[in-house]
Amino acid sequence: MSDPDPRLLQRCAQRRAELAARIAQAGGGVAVLATAPELMRNRDADYPYRHDSYFYYLTGFTEPQSMLVLAVRADGSHHATLLCRPRDAEREIWDGVRFGPDGARERFGFDAALPIEQADAALPELLADAPSLWWPFALQPGFETRVQQWLAAVRAQARSGRRCPALQYDLCAVLDEMRLFKDEVELDTMRRAALISADAHRRAMRAAAAARTAPPAAGLREYHLEAELLWAFRHGGAQAPAYGSIVAGGANACILHYRAGDAPLRAGELCLIDAACELDGYASDITRTFPVDGVFSGAQRELYAIVLESQQAALRAVRPGARFDDPHQAALRVLAQGMLDTGLIARDVAPDVDAVLASGAYRRFYMHRTSHWIGMDVHDCGDYGEPGEAVAEQPDGSRRVPSRVLRAGMALTIEPGIYVRAADDVPAAFHDIGIRIEDDVVVQPDGCEVLTADAPKSIEAIEEWMRD
Ligand code: GLY
Ligand code: MN
Ligand code: MN
C-alpha cells in the first residue's frame, strides 16, 4: 500500500466533476461503479489482482471489493462515497495493509466512505429519490442483479414516499468518451510504460544475439526471450505484462494469437515479439520482428521493407482531422503494392493495387486491422465511429458509421504486418515468414507522437543493435 500520487488524485476529482456535469445535463442522478472481482486460478490460488479500469479512472483506488457512488444534483454539485474493505488486523497479516474507509476518504479525497459490507443497506438509501441511475451495462456478471435488488428495496419504500430512479443510463458510454482523450498525467505514464517496453525489446534482441556465441543449454527457445522481457518489465518498475507476451519463432509468427512457447529459435529464421508492460494501470503494446541470428536474409529483408514502409505510411496518416481508418488505408496500399511486387499476389488474380484492395486479395496475408485505441486497456475503450455521423455505405458494400475523426489526445497503435503460410501458389522463399511492426502513438495538435520509438525498427538499426 503506497500513498496515491497527488497529481492522479487531482485528475480523478476533476474526472468525477466532469462526469457529474454530464449527469447534471440529464437532470441529475446517481452513478454506481464497482471495481473488478478477485478471481481464483485453481483451488485457493488466485490470479494477480487487477482493478477495473473505469473504477481506477475515477478513483485512483486499487483495492479489491470497492465501489464508488457518485450522487449528482441537477446543478452539478456532487458527493462521492467510496465503499471499501474495513481495516482488519487479522486479514491484513495475510493479505496486506488496507486503507479502510476512513483512510481512503482522507487520502483519496472522497466526501464519505463506508465499509463494503454495508453496500446493500446503503445503496437503496443513496438511490432513493434520484431521477436517474448510471451504471456500467453488461460489464460485470452479477452486477445487474445487485442493481435490481437495490431498486427493489427502494420501491418497497414507495408508501413512505420514496421514489425509484425512473431512468437508467449506461455509465460506460460516458466514460468511454472521456477515456478516449488522454490527459498529460496519463500520457506521462504511457510514455514511461513505452520506454520500459522498448527497453525489454532491446534486451530480448541482445539476448538472441548473445546466444550465437553462448547459447542456453537447451538451445535458444521462445521462453528464453520471454524471460528477458519479463525481467525488463519488472526491473523497469512495471507491475505486469499488459497482455500475454507473444514470442514466435519462424512459422509461429503466422499464428496471430500465438503465445511465448518452447519452440526453438533457429538461426536463419525471424522471431516476432509482441509484448509490452502495464505501468501504474496503463498499457503499452509493441511488436518487433528481427532475425534470430541478427542478419536479415534476402527474402526476409524484402518483406520486412514492405511492412516497414507500410507502417511509416500509416504513421504519416496520423494527425488531427484525419480519420481513424486513414492509417489503415495508407498501410494497405503499400502492402498491396508489395504483395504484387513480390509475387505473393499473382497479377492474374489482381492486376493492380486497386484490384487487390477491392477484391480483398490482401487479406490472405494481412488479415487484421492496423490500429486500436490504447490506454488503460491494451484494446482500450472508445467509439471507433464518429459520434453524430450517420451510417454510410462503404466502398465494399458494407454499412458502417464513418470512422472516428482523430483529435489531439487520442492514443492508438499502428501495427501492419504480412503473414505468409506455406502454399504451392506462393513463392517458396517467403514461406512461413510472419512480420509485424507495432508502435503506440498519440495524436498531437501538430501530428503524431510515437511513444515506442526506442525499440529498434529499421533493418539497419536492428542489425546494428544485434551486432555488438
Ligand atoms: N498485443 C495485442 C495487439 O497487438 O493488439
Ligand atoms: Mn496492438
Ligand atoms: Mn501488440
Side-chain angles (χ1 to χ4, degrees):
M1 182 179 81
S2 53
D3 264 338
D5 173 353
R7 278 203 321 158
L8 171 66
L9 292 189
Q10 190 186 18
R11 280 301 298 142
C12 290
Q14 288 166 348
R15 290 168 191 157
R16 293 197 295 271
E18 195 176 328
L19 172 61
R22 297 193 190 203
I23 293 175
Q25 278 168 11
V30 175
V32 186
L33 181 59
T35 194
E38 296 158 288
L39 290 180
M40 298 316 288
R41 183 175 183 275
N42 55 319
R43 200 175 280 269
D44 62 349
D46 48 7
Y47 282 106
Y49 182 68
R50 166 59 158 76
H51 54 261
D52 175 77
S53 297
Y54 293 110
F55 181 81
Y56 182 72
Y57 184 71
L58 292 176
T59 64
F61 196 69
T62 57
E63 285 187 21
Q65 299 176 46
S66 309
M67 200 183 291
L68 173 70
V69 182
L70 188 70
V72 182
R73 293 203 196 87
D75 65 2
S77 60
H78 53 281
H79 185 271
T81 303
L82 181 84
L83 294 102
C84 66
R85 301 177 307 185
R87 300 294 309 265
D88 180 327
E90 171 70 12
R91 284 314 320 163
E92 288 180 41
I93 290 171
W94 291 90
D95 302 331
V97 180
R98 305 170 173 188
F99 280 102
D102 290 341
R105 182 175 42 74
E106 282 161 24
R107 276 138 103 176
F108 287 75
F110 300 108
D111 301 305
L114 295 167
I116 189 67
E117 288 79 4
Q118 293 180 17
D120 288 334
L123 261 292
E125 284 302 310
L126 291 163
L127 294 182
D129 301 325
S132 63
L133 170 58
W134 302 62
W135 60 282
F137 292 179
L139 185 71
Q140 292 158 341
F143 196 68
E144 185 176 352
T145 309
R146 297 194 71 190
V147 170
Q148 300 297 334
Q149 287 165 348
W150 298 329
L151 291 177
V154 181
R155 193 157 279 153
Q157 302 171 46
R159 273 173 288 134
S160 325
R162 318 229 51 191
R163 289 215 183 103
C164 233
L167 294 167
Q168 293 189 42
Y169 293 94
D170 183 11
L171 192 52
C172 295
V174 187
L175 294 179
D176 286 354
E177 191 60 20
M178 290 170 62
R179 282 175 54 185
L180 188 52
F181 296 88
K182 276 69 182 174
D183 61 43
E184 273 308 312
V185 177
E186 297 183 288
L187 290 179
D188 268 7
T189 309
M190 291 181 71
R191 287 187 187 104
R192 286 188 292 120
L195 286 177
I196 296 167
S197 298
D199 185 52
H201 278 259
R202 287 201 304 268
R203 186 176 172 89
M205 287 180 197
R206 276 274 166 91
R212 285 192 303 251
T213 48
L220 184 66
R221 288 174 184 265
E222 292 163 344
Y223 58 75
H224 289 123
L225 299 195
E226 183 188 20
E228 301 291 335
L229 296 163
L230 295 175
W231 186 93
F233 295 161
R234 286 302 279 150
H235 188 259
Q239 288 79 16
Y243 52 91
S245 304
I246 297 174
V247 180
N252 290 339
C254 297
I255 303 168
L256 296 180
H257 288 168
Y258 187 78
R259 298 288 286 266
D262 59 3
L265 294 172
R266 298 188 185 87
E269 291 185 338
L270 293 177
C271 176
L272 181 155
I273 294 184
D274 183 347
C277 69
E278 177 178 299
L279 175 72
D280 298 341
Y282 284 81
S284 47
D285 187 4
I286 303 182
T287 307
R288 290 293 185 264
T289 310
F290 57 91
V292 172
D293 56 10
V295 181
F296 286 88
S297 74
Q300 293 165 354
R301 191 173 290 264
E302 208 176 338
L303 289 192
Y304 192 91
I306 294 165
V307 178
L308 182 59
E309 191 189 331
S310 77
Q311 208 237 9
Q312 286 161 341
L315 289 171
R316 284 193 298 275
V318 177
R319 62 180 110 70
R323 296 273 179 174
F324 178 84
D325 201 40
D326 289 351
H328 182 56
Q329 294 304 327
L332 276 184
R333 292 202 78 80
V334 177
L335 292 173
Q337 184 65 58
M339 290 173 194
L340 289 169
D341 293 346
T342 50
L344 286 176
I345 296 177
R347 299 261 176 193
D348 57 358
V349 171
D352 56 25
V353 166
D354 288 330
V356 171
L357 298 180
S359 64
Y362 64 86
R363 289 202 190 97
R364 180 174 176 196
F365 306 107
Y366 181 46
M367 56 298 279
H368 59 78
R369 304 277 306 174
T370 301
S371 303
H372 54 77
W373 304 127
I374 183 166
M376 288 190 281
D377 299 318
V378 64
H379 294 170
D380 210 28
C381 59
D383 202 335
Y384 285 93
E386 182 64 14
E389 283 193 27
V391 173
E393 182 128 349
Q394 304 295 304
D396 63 4
S398 64
R399 291 170 61 75
R400 258 183 266 131
V401 177
S403 80
R404 192 82 200 217
V405 175
L406 298 179
R407 307 261 177 240
M410 291 173 162
L412 59 152
T413 63
I414 299 290
E415 49 178 309
I418 287 185
Y419 314 92
V420 186
R421 290 167 176 275
D424 289 345
D425 59 343
V426 170
F430 301 126
H431 285 188
D432 295 335
I433 294 181
I435 296 168
R436 179 165 63 256
I437 305 174
E438 174 173 31
D439 283 304
D440 305 341
V441 306
V442 180
V443 184
Q444 292 291 4
D446 54 356
C448 152
E449 174 188 356
V450 180
L451 304 182
T452 44
D454 274 16
K457 185 162 73 170
S458 71
I459 289 177
E460 301 71 33
I462 290 173
E463 290 190 343
E464 186 186 337
W465 181 252
M466 295 184 72
R467 191 155 47 233
D468 295 332

PDB file of all heavy atoms in Angstrom, residues 220-244:
ATOM      1  N   LEU A 220      18.590 -21.879 -27.882  1.00  0.00           N
ATOM      2  CA  LEU A 220      17.727 -20.708 -27.653  1.00  0.00           C
ATOM      3  C   LEU A 220      16.279 -21.062 -27.982  1.00  0.00           C
ATOM      4  O   LEU A 220      15.992 -21.574 -29.065  1.00  0.00           O
ATOM      5  CB  LEU A 220      18.195 -19.539 -28.523  1.00  0.00           C
ATOM      6  CG  LEU A 220      17.443 -18.233 -28.306  1.00  0.00           C
ATOM      7  CD1 LEU A 220      17.698 -17.676 -26.903  1.00  0.00           C
ATOM      8  CD2 LEU A 220      17.810 -17.202 -29.374  1.00  0.00           C
ATOM      9  N   ARG A 221      15.394 -20.773 -27.054  1.00  0.00           N
ATOM     10  CA  ARG A 221      13.967 -21.062 -27.237  1.00  0.00           C
ATOM     11  C   ARG A 221      13.132 -19.827 -26.945  1.00  0.00           C
ATOM     12  O   ARG A 221      13.615 -18.880 -26.317  1.00  0.00           O
ATOM     13  CB  ARG A 221      13.544 -22.223 -26.325  1.00  0.00           C
ATOM     14  CG  ARG A 221      14.122 -23.527 -26.831  1.00  0.00           C
ATOM     15  CD  ARG A 221      13.867 -24.695 -25.927  1.00  0.00           C
ATOM     16  NE  ARG A 221      14.554 -25.862 -26.492  1.00  0.00           N
ATOM     17  CZ  ARG A 221      13.974 -26.765 -27.278  1.00  0.00           C
ATOM     18  NH1 ARG A 221      12.697 -26.649 -27.585  1.00  0.00           N
ATOM     19  NH2 ARG A 221      14.659 -27.779 -27.748  1.00  0.00           N
ATOM     20  N   GLU A 222      11.873 -19.891 -27.390  1.00  0.00           N
ATOM     21  CA  GLU A 222      10.999 -18.721 -27.233  1.00  0.00           C
ATOM     22  C   GLU A 222      10.933 -18.276 -25.771  1.00  0.00           C
ATOM     23  O   GLU A 222      10.953 -17.071 -25.482  1.00  0.00           O
ATOM     24  CB  GLU A 222       9.600 -19.049 -27.773  1.00  0.00           C
ATOM     25  CG  GLU A 222       9.588 -19.229 -29.299  1.00  0.00           C
ATOM     26  CD  GLU A 222       8.350 -19.929 -29.830  1.00  0.00           C
ATOM     27  OE1 GLU A 222       7.617 -20.563 -29.038  1.00  0.00           O
ATOM     28  OE2 GLU A 222       8.101 -19.867 -31.053  1.00  0.00           O
ATOM     29  N   TYR A 223      10.865 -19.221 -24.862  1.00  0.00           N
ATOM     30  CA  TYR A 223      10.705 -18.820 -23.462  1.00  0.00           C
ATOM     31  C   TYR A 223      11.936 -18.098 -22.909  1.00  0.00           C
ATOM     32  O   TYR A 223      11.829 -17.347 -21.952  1.00  0.00           O
ATOM     33  CB  TYR A 223      10.294 -20.002 -22.565  1.00  0.00           C
ATOM     34  CG  TYR A 223      11.244 -21.182 -22.547  1.00  0.00           C
ATOM     35  CD1 TYR A 223      12.446 -21.142 -21.864  1.00  0.00           C
ATOM     36  CD2 TYR A 223      10.898 -22.369 -23.189  1.00  0.00           C
ATOM     37  CE1 TYR A 223      13.295 -22.240 -21.827  1.00  0.00           C
ATOM     38  CE2 TYR A 223      11.727 -23.467 -23.161  1.00  0.00           C
ATOM     39  CZ  TYR A 223      12.935 -23.391 -22.488  1.00  0.00           C
ATOM     40  OH  TYR A 223      13.771 -24.483 -22.454  1.00  0.00           O
ATOM     41  N   HIS A 224      13.096 -18.331 -23.530  1.00  0.00           N
ATOM     42  CA  HIS A 224      14.274 -17.583 -23.063  1.00  0.00           C
ATOM     43  C   HIS A 224      14.082 -16.090 -23.301  1.00  0.00           C
ATOM     44  O   HIS A 224      14.443 -15.255 -22.454  1.00  0.00           O
ATOM     45  CB  HIS A 224      15.544 -18.059 -23.795  1.00  0.00           C
ATOM     46  CG  HIS A 224      15.978 -19.427 -23.370  1.00  0.00           C
ATOM     47  ND1 HIS A 224      16.124 -20.474 -24.261  1.00  0.00           N
ATOM     48  CD2 HIS A 224      16.296 -19.928 -22.157  1.00  0.00           C
ATOM     49  CE1 HIS A 224      16.512 -21.563 -23.604  1.00  0.00           C
ATOM     50  NE2 HIS A 224      16.629 -21.245 -22.330  1.00  0.00           N
ATOM     51  N   LEU A 225      13.526 -15.759 -24.459  1.00  0.00           N
ATOM     52  CA  LEU A 225      13.325 -14.329 -24.741  1.00  0.00           C
ATOM     53  C   LEU A 225      12.154 -13.779 -23.928  1.00  0.00           C
ATOM     54  O   LEU A 225      12.171 -12.620 -23.502  1.00  0.00           O
ATOM     55  CB  LEU A 225      13.111 -14.104 -26.238  1.00  0.00           C
ATOM     56  CG  LEU A 225      14.279 -14.542 -27.131  1.00  0.00           C
ATOM     57  CD1 LEU A 225      14.124 -13.953 -28.531  1.00  0.00           C
ATOM     58  CD2 LEU A 225      15.639 -14.148 -26.558  1.00  0.00           C
ATOM     59  N   GLU A 226      11.146 -14.618 -23.689  1.00  0.00           N
ATOM     60  CA  GLU A 226      10.052 -14.165 -22.817  1.00  0.00           C
ATOM     61  C   GLU A 226      10.610 -13.822 -21.433  1.00  0.00           C
ATOM     62  O   GLU A 226      10.207 -12.827 -20.812  1.00  0.00           O
ATOM     63  CB  GLU A 226       8.976 -15.255 -22.687  1.00  0.00           C
ATOM     64  CG  GLU A 226       7.805 -14.782 -21.849  1.00  0.00           C
ATOM     65  CD  GLU A 226       6.806 -15.884 -21.519  1.00  0.00           C
ATOM     66  OE1 GLU A 226       7.171 -17.077 -21.589  1.00  0.00           O
ATOM     67  OE2 GLU A 226       5.665 -15.549 -21.179  1.00  0.00           O
ATOM     68  N   ALA A 227      11.545 -14.635 -20.955  1.00  0.00           N
ATOM     69  CA  ALA A 227      12.140 -14.366 -19.635  1.00  0.00           C
ATOM     70  C   ALA A 227      12.849 -13.012 -19.624  1.00  0.00           C
ATOM     71  O   ALA A 227      12.774 -12.258 -18.645  1.00  0.00           O
ATOM     72  CB  ALA A 227      13.114 -15.482 -19.270  1.00  0.00           C
ATOM     73  N   GLU A 228      13.519 -12.671 -20.719  1.00  0.00           N
ATOM     74  CA  GLU A 228      14.199 -11.366 -20.804  1.00  0.00           C
ATOM     75  C   GLU A 228      13.173 -10.229 -20.737  1.00  0.00           C
ATOM     76  O   GLU A 228      13.396  -9.206 -20.086  1.00  0.00           O
ATOM     77  CB  GLU A 228      14.984 -11.253 -22.114  1.00  0.00           C
ATOM     78  CG  GLU A 228      16.054 -12.310 -22.308  1.00  0.00           C
ATOM     79  CD  GLU A 228      17.225 -12.158 -21.350  1.00  0.00           C
ATOM     80  OE1 GLU A 228      17.470 -11.040 -20.874  1.00  0.00           O
ATOM     81  OE2 GLU A 228      17.881 -13.181 -21.070  1.00  0.00           O
ATOM     82  N   LEU A 229      12.055 -10.428 -21.438  1.00  0.00           N
ATOM     83  CA  LEU A 229      11.008  -9.398 -21.446  1.00  0.00           C
ATOM     84  C   LEU A 229      10.454  -9.187 -20.035  1.00  0.00           C
ATOM     85  O   LEU A 229      10.337  -8.055 -19.560  1.00  0.00           O
ATOM     86  CB  LEU A 229       9.863  -9.818 -22.377  1.00  0.00           C
ATOM     87  CG  LEU A 229      10.204  -9.959 -23.861  1.00  0.00           C
ATOM     88  CD1 LEU A 229       9.126 -10.760 -24.587  1.00  0.00           C
ATOM     89  CD2 LEU A 229      10.377  -8.590 -24.518  1.00  0.00           C
ATOM     90  N   LEU A 230      10.124 -10.301 -19.380  1.00  0.00           N
ATOM     91  CA  LEU A 230       9.531 -10.194 -18.045  1.00  0.00           C
ATOM     92  C   LEU A 230      10.505  -9.551 -17.079  1.00  0.00           C
ATOM     93  O   LEU A 230      10.128  -8.732 -16.230  1.00  0.00           O
ATOM     94  CB  LEU A 230       9.096 -11.584 -17.548  1.00  0.00           C
ATOM     95  CG  LEU A 230       7.971 -12.242 -18.364  1.00  0.00           C
ATOM     96  CD1 LEU A 230       7.713 -13.662 -17.865  1.00  0.00           C
ATOM     97  CD2 LEU A 230       6.695 -11.413 -18.290  1.00  0.00           C
ATOM     98  N   TRP A 231      11.766  -9.916 -17.212  1.00  0.00           N
ATOM     99  CA  TRP A 231      12.784  -9.317 -16.350  1.00  0.00           C
ATOM    100  C   TRP A 231      12.803  -7.795 -16.546  1.00  0.00           C
ATOM    101  O   TRP A 231      12.806  -7.028 -15.582  1.00  0.00           O
ATOM    102  CB  TRP A 231      14.156  -9.907 -16.687  1.00  0.00           C
ATOM    103  CG  TRP A 231      15.241  -9.437 -15.744  1.00  0.00           C
ATOM    104  CD1 TRP A 231      15.655 -10.071 -14.607  1.00  0.00           C
ATOM    105  CD2 TRP A 231      16.015  -8.241 -15.858  1.00  0.00           C
ATOM    106  NE1 TRP A 231      16.637  -9.333 -13.996  1.00  0.00           N
ATOM    107  CE2 TRP A 231      16.881  -8.202 -14.734  1.00  0.00           C
ATOM    108  CE3 TRP A 231      16.062  -7.199 -16.767  1.00  0.00           C
ATOM    109  CZ2 TRP A 231      17.781  -7.159 -14.524  1.00  0.00           C
ATOM    110  CZ3 TRP A 231      16.950  -6.151 -16.558  1.00  0.00           C
ATOM    111  CH2 TRP A 231      17.799  -6.141 -15.452  1.00  0.00           C
ATOM    112  N   ALA A 232      12.799  -7.401 -17.811  1.00  0.00           N
ATOM    113  CA  ALA A 232      12.899  -5.962 -18.095  1.00  0.00           C
ATOM    114  C   ALA A 232      11.656  -5.208 -17.615  1.00  0.00           C
ATOM    115  O   ALA A 232      11.763  -4.074 -17.135  1.00  0.00           O
ATOM    116  CB  ALA A 232      13.103  -5.747 -19.592  1.00  0.00           C
ATOM    117  N   PHE A 233      10.485  -5.834 -17.738  1.00  0.00           N
ATOM    118  CA  PHE A 233       9.265  -5.150 -17.271  1.00  0.00           C
ATOM    119  C   PHE A 233       9.374  -4.871 -15.769  1.00  0.00           C
ATOM    120  O   PHE A 233       9.172  -3.742 -15.316  1.00  0.00           O
ATOM    121  CB  PHE A 233       8.009  -6.007 -17.522  1.00  0.00           C
ATOM    122  CG  PHE A 233       7.694  -6.250 -18.984  1.00  0.00           C
ATOM    123  CD1 PHE A 233       6.854  -7.290 -19.347  1.00  0.00           C
ATOM    124  CD2 PHE A 233       8.218  -5.450 -19.985  1.00  0.00           C
ATOM    125  CE1 PHE A 233       6.544  -7.525 -20.683  1.00  0.00           C
ATOM    126  CE2 PHE A 233       7.926  -5.680 -21.332  1.00  0.00           C
ATOM    127  CZ  PHE A 233       7.084  -6.724 -21.676  1.00  0.00           C
ATOM    128  N   ARG A 234       9.676  -5.905 -15.015  1.00  0.00           N
ATOM    129  CA  ARG A 234       9.704  -5.733 -13.556  1.00  0.00           C
ATOM    130  C   ARG A 234      10.894  -4.885 -13.125  1.00  0.00           C
ATOM    131  O   ARG A 234      10.770  -4.053 -12.232  1.00  0.00           O
ATOM    132  CB  ARG A 234       9.749  -7.110 -12.854  1.00  0.00           C
ATOM    133  CG  ARG A 234       8.459  -7.835 -12.878  1.00  0.00           C
ATOM    134  CD  ARG A 234       7.330  -7.048 -12.223  1.00  0.00           C
ATOM    135  NE  ARG A 234       7.313  -7.144 -10.762  1.00  0.00           N
ATOM    136  CZ  ARG A 234       6.875  -6.199  -9.951  1.00  0.00           C
ATOM    137  NH1 ARG A 234       6.453  -5.045 -10.434  1.00  0.00           N
ATOM    138  NH2 ARG A 234       6.877  -6.360  -8.646  1.00  0.00           N
ATOM    139  N   HIS A 235      12.008  -5.082 -13.796  1.00  0.00           N
ATOM    140  CA  HIS A 235      13.180  -4.285 -13.434  1.00  0.00           C
ATOM    141  C   HIS A 235      12.925  -2.809 -13.698  1.00  0.00           C
ATOM    142  O   HIS A 235      13.422  -1.929 -12.989  1.00  0.00           O
ATOM    143  CB  HIS A 235      14.407  -4.765 -14.228  1.00  0.00           C
ATOM    144  CG  HIS A 235      15.677  -4.129 -13.788  1.00  0.00           C
ATOM    145  ND1 HIS A 235      16.272  -3.074 -14.466  1.00  0.00           N
ATOM    146  CD2 HIS A 235      16.465  -4.365 -12.711  1.00  0.00           C
ATOM    147  CE1 HIS A 235      17.362  -2.703 -13.829  1.00  0.00           C
ATOM    148  NE2 HIS A 235      17.513  -3.471 -12.756  1.00  0.00           N
ATOM    149  N   GLY A 236      12.126  -2.520 -14.716  1.00  0.00           N
ATOM    150  CA  GLY A 236      11.787  -1.132 -15.027  1.00  0.00           C
ATOM    151  C   GLY A 236      10.713  -0.558 -14.123  1.00  0.00           C
ATOM    152  O   GLY A 236      10.380   0.622 -14.242  1.00  0.00           O
ATOM    153  N   GLY A 237      10.123  -1.399 -13.255  1.00  0.00           N
ATOM    154  CA  GLY A 237       9.117  -0.895 -12.320  1.00  0.00           C
ATOM    155  C   GLY A 237       7.685  -1.158 -12.752  1.00  0.00           C
ATOM    156  O   GLY A 237       6.750  -0.777 -12.046  1.00  0.00           O
ATOM    157  N   ALA A 238       7.494  -1.778 -13.915  1.00  0.00           N
ATOM    158  CA  ALA A 238       6.130  -2.092 -14.347  1.00  0.00           C
ATOM    159  C   ALA A 238       5.579  -3.233 -13.493  1.00  0.00           C
ATOM    160  O   ALA A 238       6.332  -4.071 -13.008  1.00  0.00           O
ATOM    161  CB  ALA A 238       6.122  -2.492 -15.817  1.00  0.00           C
ATOM    162  N   GLN A 239       4.251  -3.242 -13.345  1.00  0.00           N
ATOM    163  CA  GLN A 239       3.644  -4.250 -12.476  1.00  0.00           C
ATOM    164  C   GLN A 239       3.471  -5.593 -13.182  1.00  0.00           C
ATOM    165  O   GLN A 239       3.521  -6.641 -12.545  1.00  0.00           O
ATOM    166  CB  GLN A 239       2.276  -3.765 -11.966  1.00  0.00           C
ATOM    167  CG  GLN A 239       2.349  -2.647 -10.933  1.00  0.00           C
ATOM    168  CD  GLN A 239       2.607  -1.282 -11.544  1.00  0.00           C
ATOM    169  OE1 GLN A 239       2.448  -1.092 -12.737  1.00  0.00           O
ATOM    170  NE2 GLN A 239       3.023  -0.337 -10.713  1.00  0.00           N
ATOM    171  N   ALA A 240       3.241  -5.569 -14.500  1.00  0.00           N
ATOM    172  CA  ALA A 240       2.888  -6.816 -15.195  1.00  0.00           C
ATOM    173  C   ALA A 240       2.970  -6.603 -16.698  1.00  0.00           C
ATOM    174  O   ALA A 240       2.998  -5.464 -17.167  1.00  0.00           O
ATOM    175  CB  ALA A 240       1.458  -7.218 -14.816  1.00  0.00           C
ATOM    176  N   PRO A 241       2.960  -7.706 -17.468  1.00  0.00           N
ATOM    177  CA  PRO A 241       2.744  -7.534 -18.909  1.00  0.00           C
ATOM    178  C   PRO A 241       1.325  -6.992 -19.125  1.00  0.00           C
ATOM    179  O   PRO A 241       0.416  -7.315 -18.365  1.00  0.00           O
ATOM    180  CB  PRO A 241       2.857  -8.960 -19.473  1.00  0.00           C
ATOM    181  CG  PRO A 241       3.467  -9.784 -18.391  1.00  0.00           C
ATOM    182  CD  PRO A 241       3.124  -9.120 -17.092  1.00  0.00           C
ATOM    183  N   ALA A 242       1.153  -6.172 -20.153  1.00  0.00           N
ATOM    184  CA  ALA A 242      -0.175  -5.604 -20.425  1.00  0.00           C
ATOM    185  C   ALA A 242      -1.089  -6.631 -21.068  1.00  0.00           C
ATOM    186  O   ALA A 242      -2.301  -6.438 -21.123  1.00  0.00           O
ATOM    187  CB  ALA A 242      -0.042  -4.378 -21.328  1.00  0.00           C
ATOM    188  N   TYR A 243      -0.498  -7.719 -21.578  1.00  0.00           N
ATOM    189  CA  TYR A 243      -1.247  -8.800 -22.239  1.00  0.00           C
ATOM    190  C   TYR A 243      -0.279  -9.960 -22.370  1.00  0.00           C
ATOM    191  O   TYR A 243       0.921  -9.803 -22.090  1.00  0.00           O
ATOM    192  CB  TYR A 243      -1.772  -8.340 -23.620  1.00  0.00           C
ATOM    193  CG  TYR A 243      -0.685  -7.747 -24.505  1.00  0.00           C
ATOM    194  CD1 TYR A 243       0.035  -8.544 -25.380  1.00  0.00           C
ATOM    195  CD2 TYR A 243      -0.348  -6.400 -24.416  1.00  0.00           C
ATOM    196  CE1 TYR A 243       1.052  -8.018 -26.164  1.00  0.00           C
ATOM    197  CE2 TYR A 243       0.671  -5.858 -25.197  1.00  0.00           C
ATOM    198  CZ  TYR A 243       1.364  -6.674 -26.071  1.00  0.00           C
ATOM    199  OH  TYR A 243       2.383  -6.158 -26.826  1.00  0.00           O
ATOM    200  N   GLY A 244      -0.785 -11.120 -22.784  1.00  0.00           N
ATOM    201  CA  GLY A 244       0.082 -12.295 -22.898  1.00  0.00           C
ATOM    202  C   GLY A 244       1.162 -12.084 -23.939  1.00  0.00           C
ATOM    203  O   GLY A 244       0.859 -11.782 -25.099  1.00  0.00           O
TER     204      GLY A 244
END
